[in-house]
Amino acid sequence: MYQSLLEKIFKAYPMYHRVGSAAYKEGLENIEALMEITHHPENKFKSVHIAGTNGKGSVAHLLASYFQERGCRTGLYTSPHLVDFRERIRINGQMIPESEVLHFFDLYQTQFDELEPSFFEMTTALAFHYFAQGKVDVAIIETGLGGRLDATNVLNPMLSVITNISLEHTQLLGDSIAKIAGEKAGIIKEKTPVVIGEFHPESFPVFEDKANHLDAPLFLAENNYEIEGEADDLTVKGVLGDELYEHLNLPLPGEYQRRNLKTFLQAVELLEELWPSEEDMVPAAVENVIANTGFQGRWQVLRKAPLTICDVGHNVGGLQLTMRQLQQLPCRKLRIVFGMVADKDIDNVVKLLPTKAQYYICAAKIERAMPVADLAAKLTAQDLDCRCCGGVGEAFAAAAADAAPDDVVFVGGSCFVVGELLGAVNCEL
């Protein structure tokens, strides 16, 4: 029954991540109506609300891990999912049971269908209902797209977090950093503290203006912490050079995770003021983030020989950091399994790709996927060595077959490429 319901959900409720802007519904009227139908679950738990172009998933999982280590019953709502729809909605790291999804639609589907909600609006209502029914102490809620008009923005959180801003979804959010920042700033609430992860000269004044207007205390994370060392042995210092943590083990080895760690630390500092705990749970929260929350897809090592890594970075801001780190890895040959969706800034992404690599071009099984031949043409025009492979599994198998033990294989370009690989039973990881 669950699988047939899931197929019906995907068909009946347009999903932005699969079909693009045709699925995007602007405004909060639908979600407000859904909250009324489901008896306003958004008011029945404490929450932390997170927006941003990159890093919001990592910060969300770190914060969920932190509250779990504190012994709190913790909800976590993120998107998109990589393998299983239920990844989006978790309590204490456990995915929502299939039975709960079925029960929710038994209760409300008839009323929902009259509103014709988007997939994300429907999923948000499901998540909030599940968290309220599950009596969570706190829920970490990641926006889907933007902030001001995002379905999650019916919350009144105890803390708002905006990780960073770069150009993405420009057709929906605006064609400049300042315009996109204006949309993300929509999650800032009156007298509610807000953490800004990273400074950008075009976005930060937008956040300052909105925070001042709403009398919301604003904190810039990147200025308040210094992080040194390797991922499994980090030292964190405060703004005055005082040592806050040593031998901190972050099991998310991407270099970009240091930025997310700063944002997390700033958020925890404020949360400790709002909701004090008896002991410092940061080291355990960081070290156990994967075990606590099921986090995957961020610089995830799939195999050590040849070193095989996947990462869901898919826009200029994310891929710039990922490609920089990838090129620092020692190897005989770099082999990249690569696919993208057609509505991304592909021309600027291609400029970031390593020139000394073999590319295995693929397309995920979604409507938005850029055709293999079209993507290969973009890369070939930049003198990149491409091999057209069709599907993700085929491309990965080709790269794995060609790779020597001292090569590096990287899989990325799209959440859907990574998700399809992680979910493929025929790929030996």
Side-chain angles (χ1 to χ4, degrees), residues 121-180:
E121 289 168 337
M122 178 278 300
T123 307
T124 300
L126 168 61
F128 290 2
H129 178 269
Y130 180 57
F131 295 157
Q133 294 297 307
K135 301 186 184 307
V136 300
D137 299 306
V138 62
I140 313 302
I141 308 295
E142 178 189 339
T143 60
L145 192 156
R148 180 175 64 93
L149 299 175
D150 189 79
T152 61
N153 206 27
V154 292
L155 292 169
N156 286 302
M158 57 180 171
L159 176 69
S160 302
V161 179
I162 303 174
T163 56
N164 59 39
I165 302 295
S166 63
L167 290 173
E168 189 182 34
H169 304 303
T170 54
Q171 73 276 28
L172 300 174
L173 301 180
D175 58 2
S176 70
I177 294 291
K179 289 179 181 178
I180 294 173

Side-chain angles (χ1 to χ4, degrees), residues 37 101-111 129 133:
I37 290 169
V101 179
L102 288 166
H103 178 63
F104 180 77
F105 279 92
D106 282 343
L107 288 175
Y108 299 117
Q109 186 170 356
T110 300
Q111 294 164 279
H129 178 269
Q133 294 297 307

Side-chain angles (χ1 to χ4, degrees), residues 108-121:
Y108 299 117
Q109 186 170 356
T110 300
Q111 294 164 279
F112 280 12
D113 287 348
E114 294 175 1
L115 294 170
E116 298 184 346
S118 70
F119 174 88
F120 189 74
E121 289 168 337

Side-chain angles (χ1 to χ4, degrees), residues 39-301:
H39 311 293
H40 290 285
E42 78 281 12
N43 297 329
K44 297 176 182 177
F45 50 82
K46 293 185 173 99
S47 62
V48 177
H49 200 193
I50 305 176
T53 304
N54 295 300
K56 58 185 183 291
S58 297
V59 174
H61 282 77
L62 284 164
L63 285 171
S65 182
Y66 161 75
F67 278 112
Q68 286 175 233
E69 291 291 343
R70 283 184 56 168
C72 298
R73 187 163 171 80
T74 305
L76 175 62
Y77 180 48
T78 58
S79 63
H81 62 272
L82 292 179
V83 179
D84 188 324
F85 163 75
R86 298 179 301 132
E87 293 170 28
R88 296 168 177 255
I89 305 168
R90 298 176 184 263
I91 292 179
N92 285 354
Q94 300 301 308
M95 294 188 293
I96 181 172
E98 294 178 0
S99 59
E100 291 292 338
V101 179
L102 288 166
H103 178 63
F104 180 77
F105 279 92
D106 282 343
L107 288 175
Y108 299 117
Q109 186 170 356
T110 300
Q111 294 164 279
F112 280 12
D113 287 348
E114 294 175 1
L115 294 170
E116 298 184 346
S118 70
F119 174 88
F120 189 74
E121 289 168 337
M122 178 278 300
T123 307
T124 300
L126 168 61
F128 290 2
H129 178 269
Y130 180 57
F131 295 157
Q133 294 297 307
K135 301 186 184 307
V136 300
D137 299 306
V138 62
I140 313 302
I141 308 295
E142 178 189 339
T143 60
L145 192 156
R148 180 175 64 93
L149 299 175
D150 189 79
T152 61
N153 206 27
V154 292
L155 292 169
N156 286 302
M158 57 180 171
L159 176 69
S160 302
V161 179
I162 303 174
T163 56
N164 59 39
I165 302 295
S166 63
L167 290 173
E168 189 182 34
H169 304 303
T170 54
Q171 73 276 28
L172 300 174
L173 301 180
D175 58 2
S176 70
I177 294 291
K179 289 179 181 178
I180 294 173
E183 292 299 314
K184 307 285 187 183
I187 73 165
I188 299 175
K189 301 296 193 297
E190 186 172 7
K191 299 185 185 303
T192 301
V194 55
V195 171
I196 307 301
E198 300 172 24
F199 176 84
H200 190 288
E202 295 177 52
S203 65
F204 194 71
V206 176
F207 299 141
E208 280 189 312
D209 287 347
K210 185 64 178 286
N212 288 336
H213 178 69
L214 294 174
D215 195 21
L218 183 146
F219 301 83
L220 178 60
E222 74 171 15
N223 284 353
N224 293 334
Y225 304 92
E226 182 180 339
I227 300 175
E228 301 171 348
E230 300 299 321
D232 60 353
D233 189 17
L234 295 172
T235 298
V236 179
K237 296 180 180 179
V239 66
L240 299 177
D242 49 321
E243 194 168 281
L244 303 178
Y245 299 100
E246 60 177 352
H247 308 305
L248 196 63
N249 178 13
L250 176 63
L252 306 173
E255 285 294 320
Y256 56 84
Q257 294 294 357
R258 294 169 185 250
R259 303 184 184 194
N260 297 327
L261 182 59
K262 291 181 180 182
T263 306
F264 162 72
L265 291 169
Q266 182 70 80
V268 168
E269 184 177 324
L270 295 171
L271 288 165
E272 289 284 351
E273 295 177 6
L274 297 167
W275 189 2
S277 63
E278 294 182 359
E279 57 183 305
D280 186 356
M281 303 311 301
V282 164
V286 172
E287 182 169 355
N288 298 326
V289 61
I290 295 175
N292 283 344
T293 68
F295 198 34
Q296 59 181 342
R298 275 69 170 184
W299 202 262
Q300 183 174 345
V301 176

